[in-house]
Amino acid sequence: MFVDQNSELIARELGITVEELVQLHYEEGSEEDDGVIHTYYMRFSDENPWRIMVKIKGLQGSTLRLNPSIFEGPNKEEYPQDQPYKDVPRD
């Protein structure tokens, strides 16, 4: 679903590499109200490698919630592609 289509972006958001992301087992979904997505989530299996799981930023128990705005790309004219993603301001 959303992870497969955005693996590099998701890996950066989690603070891990794409190679580490593909090693993980998780369920993904979204929380919405009246057809508007408010949150995406990843619910991780207890069987995932501990060495990767401890790196994931924002993990609450076995669940990570992501704001849908992370999928909105910056204006390419304002932010060159070689600028680190972490430096791109978010609302």
Side-chain angles (χ1 to χ4, degrees):
M1 242 167 89
F2 70 87
V3 176
D4 290 338
Q5 297 169 359
N6 301 286
S7 58
E8 288 184 34
L9 175 67
I10 298 294
R12 272 194 301 250
E13 190 72 19
L14 272 60
I16 61 176
T17 65
V18 173
E19 291 78 17
E20 291 170 322
L21 178 62
V22 298
Q23 294 178 46
L24 298 177
H25 303 279
Y26 53 86
E27 169 191 338
E28 58 184 282
S30 61
E31 298 169 347
E32 52 186 80
D33 186 24
D34 293 328
V36 177
I37 296 175
H38 295 282
T39 306
Y40 287 102
Y41 66 83
M42 297 173 71
R43 191 165 296 126
F44 294 92
S45 165
D46 292 336
E47 298 175 10
N48 284 314
W50 178 83
R51 63 181 170 69
I52 298 174
M53 294 301 294
V54 296
K55 296 179 183 180
I56 297 177
K57 298 183 282 183
L59 192 61
Q60 298 173 341
S62 62
T63 304
L64 177 74
R65 287 182 166 69
L66 300 167
N67 189 314
S69 69
I70 69 165
F71 300 111
E72 298 170 7
N75 182 330
K76 291 182 181 181
E77 293 172 7
E78 286 184 67
Y79 304 105
Q81 288 183 324
D82 60 347
Q83 180 179 359
Y85 178 75
K86 65 181 175 144
D87 296 337
V88 176
R90 296 186 215 159
D91 296 329

